[in-house]
Amino acid sequence: MAAAVAAWFLWPTSLGGCTTITLVNGHSMEPTYYTGDVVIARCGDPQVGDVVVYEPPGYGSARVIHRIVGGTADGWVIQGDNNEFEDPFTPTDDDVVGVAALRVPRVGLAASALTNPWIWVSLIVLALALLVWPGRREEPDEADDADEPDESDESDEAEGRGELGAPEEVSGP
């Protein structure tokens, strides 16, 4: 039941639902929204004073998130909170995709980093460098080998044998 309610609230408009998720990019809505904020908008009846997401006609699927400062459902007057001028578009209710309902600050910065091609190129170069970087090999140093007796020499000396393995002669007093 909870999943059905969540799906109903989060079902995107692109699939016939009523929810639009918008990543804010730019300064026109500061201090209300900042670059990297994610705004969830729901369909509804926009009113003067509401922040809306709309698709300006002739710009494909581009979206603008600005505040309604006047007009009617036949043509809203829209302006960014940080702009001194009104938008050149007068979207109708049909152009409005949703009314802003929730802001999630800075979440979009991570998402935008993942879509940045320079980040991906850097990660690939780093992975390749780690893959082909020569490993550290421990090779015995020849000088160290000459100073250390090998194991067979130690056992021969312990048994009273010389280097050739023959018994050593010990002369007495």
Side-chain angles (χ1 to χ4, degrees):
M1 177 68 172
V5 171
W8 184 79
F9 278 110
L10 298 175
W11 198 258
T13 55
S14 59
L15 297 176
C18 198
T19 302
T20 301
I21 299 174
T22 303
L23 175 62
V24 176
N25 187 14
H27 304 285
S28 65
M29 282 303 290
E30 290 179 1
T32 307
Y33 302 123
Y34 294 91
T35 296
D37 290 353
V38 171
V39 177
I40 298 174
R42 299 275 299 154
C43 57
D45 295 324
Q47 305 292 325
V48 173
D50 287 343
V51 174
V52 295
V53 178
Y54 71 94
E55 293 179 347
Y59 286 87
S61 61
R63 292 183 177 162
V64 177
I65 182 167
H66 280 169
R67 188 176 306 277
I68 297 176
V69 294
T72 65
D74 295 326
W76 295 109
V77 178
I78 307 286
Q79 181 176 350
D81 289 355
N82 197 27
N83 291 345
E84 295 179 7
F85 55 89
E86 297 171 349
D87 290 5
F89 312 105
T90 53
T92 65
D93 270 355
D94 293 336
D95 299 323
V96 173
V97 178
V99 178
L102 177 68
R103 169 185 171 241
V104 185
R106 305 284 183 205
V107 167
L109 292 176
S112 63
L114 292 176
T115 61
N116 184 333
W118 289 107
I119 298 286
W120 282 104
V121 167
S122 299
L123 288 174
I124 290 169
V125 167
L126 180 63
L128 289 173
L130 290 174
L131 184 65
V132 299
W133 193 268
R136 184 173 178 196
R137 296 189 179 124
E138 291 200 25
E139 296 179 12
D141 193 11
E142 290 181 22
D144 290 344
D145 287 344
D147 293 341
E148 297 176 13
D150 82 28
E151 293 175 18
S152 64
D153 290 344
E154 289 176 12
S155 63
D156 287 343
E157 290 174 10
E159 295 176 8
R161 299 177 187 261
E163 287 187 25
L164 299 175
E168 291 184 15
E169 292 184 22
V170 179
S171 56

